[in-house]
Amino acid sequence: MALITTTVGRTVGNLDDARMWRPLGIGIVGSAILMGVLWWLAVGWVDATGLTGIGWLDTTISYAGDFAVVIISAWLLFVPITSAVMGLVIDEVAEVVERRSYPGLPPAKGAGFWASLWSGVRFGVFALLLNLLVLPLYFVPVVNLVLFVGLNGVLLSREYFELAALRRLGTAEAKAMRLRHRTTLFVHGAAVSFLFAIPFVNLTAPIIAAALFTHLFTLIREREARELRRP
């Protein structure tokens, strides 16, 4: 409990930093463009599909389909798309957090632009496929929110922690740390997934998640180092 209080408090304290505006803008614009293109393709496909051959009925089905596409895609696609885009700016967010909150840290090697981008895209596709598999359950009240928070809590905690960890650790070491602290990571991921479910607030959720898991990784690493120094 103390750890999540610390990470949340420090994350909130970083959000007023002007250096966060650029990655936030990239995240919002990039996500909006990708969402818009996918919506346009999906709606165009629905509109072009004449299911019955009866004009007025096909028109009604088309409008209903357009509405369903927008709602379902907004629910299913936002987490995968924004997280994929965050691969472009994760290093930038982490650097802001570290310079402000942990100035004594040596420079990070960084995960690398292409490695971060590939990780984000891979996560986005995987998250989309999992959410599509459980799509029918999203139409069940209460269950849909629990499922959204639980499933995306696992996915977000894994992806964002590894993106933060890979800036300073090797792949195997980052994975081992994630597995050692998977319960703590899930609690943070579930908290972040709530933000992804709130309209407008979800536009800032990827930046908040990146900052939060940078703090979490740094604090866990410091705690493990202290434990190793104990006699």
Side-chain angles (χ1 to χ4, degrees):
M1 185 64 183
L3 186 57
I4 193 170
T5 302
T6 302
T7 54
V8 170
R10 293 187 182 183
T11 299
V12 172
N14 292 146
L15 296 181
D16 64 348
D17 195 311
R19 292 172 293 182
M20 288 286 195
W21 296 350
R22 180 178 179 275
L24 177 61
I26 292 174
I28 291 175
V29 172
S31 300
I33 290 173
L34 285 176
M35 288 287 286
V37 169
L38 289 174
W39 278 343
W40 178 73
L41 290 173
V43 168
W45 178 80
V46 171
D47 290 346
T49 303
L51 297 177
T52 67
I54 302 173
W56 67 269
L57 185 55
D58 282 344
T59 299
T60 302
I61 293 174
S62 177
Y63 282 127
D66 291 350
F67 178 76
V69 164
V70 170
I71 298 301
I72 293 173
S73 60
W75 183 263
L76 291 180
L77 297 179
F78 193 82
V79 170
I81 285 179
T82 55
S83 296
V85 172
M86 274 307 299
L88 298 170
V89 293
I90 183 69
D91 275 345
E92 193 170 346
V93 174
E95 285 177 8
V96 172
V97 169
E98 290 177 347
R99 288 175 186 173
R100 182 162 177 174
S101 300
Y102 311 99
L105 285 176
K109 62 179 177 62
F113 174 80
W114 293 111
S116 295
L117 179 60
W118 168 242
S119 178
V121 171
R122 183 184 59 191
F123 166 78
V125 173
F126 182 60
L128 176 59
L129 291 176
L130 280 183
N131 278 282
L132 285 173
L133 284 175
V134 298
L135 178 60
L137 295 176
Y138 279 136
F139 294 96
V140 181
V142 181
V143 173
N144 51 14
L145 182 59
V146 173
L147 183 62
F148 181 87
V149 171
L151 178 60
N152 288 295
V154 172
L155 294 171
L156 290 168
S157 63
R158 173 173 179 161
E159 177 65 11
Y160 279 88
F161 184 80
E162 288 198 351
L163 282 173
L166 287 173
R167 298 181 65 252
R168 294 185 176 274
L169 301 177
T171 303
E173 196 176 358
K175 180 179 179 180
M177 180 181 283
R178 175 176 60 80
L179 293 175
R180 287 195 301 272
H181 301 280
R182 53 184 174 269
T183 301
T184 299
L185 269 58
F186 171 73
V187 171
H188 285 73
V192 167
S193 67
F194 270 110
L195 299 180
F196 278 91
I198 304 173
F200 302 110
V201 174
N202 57 11
L203 295 175
T204 64
I207 296 295
I208 294 173
L212 182 74
F213 279 94
T214 299
H215 281 296
L216 182 59
F217 164 72
T218 305
L219 292 171
I220 287 176
R221 197 180 187 201
E222 289 178 349
R223 186 175 68 184
E224 289 190 341
R226 287 195 302 269
E227 291 173 351
L228 287 174
R229 290 194 297 267
R230 288 177 183 171

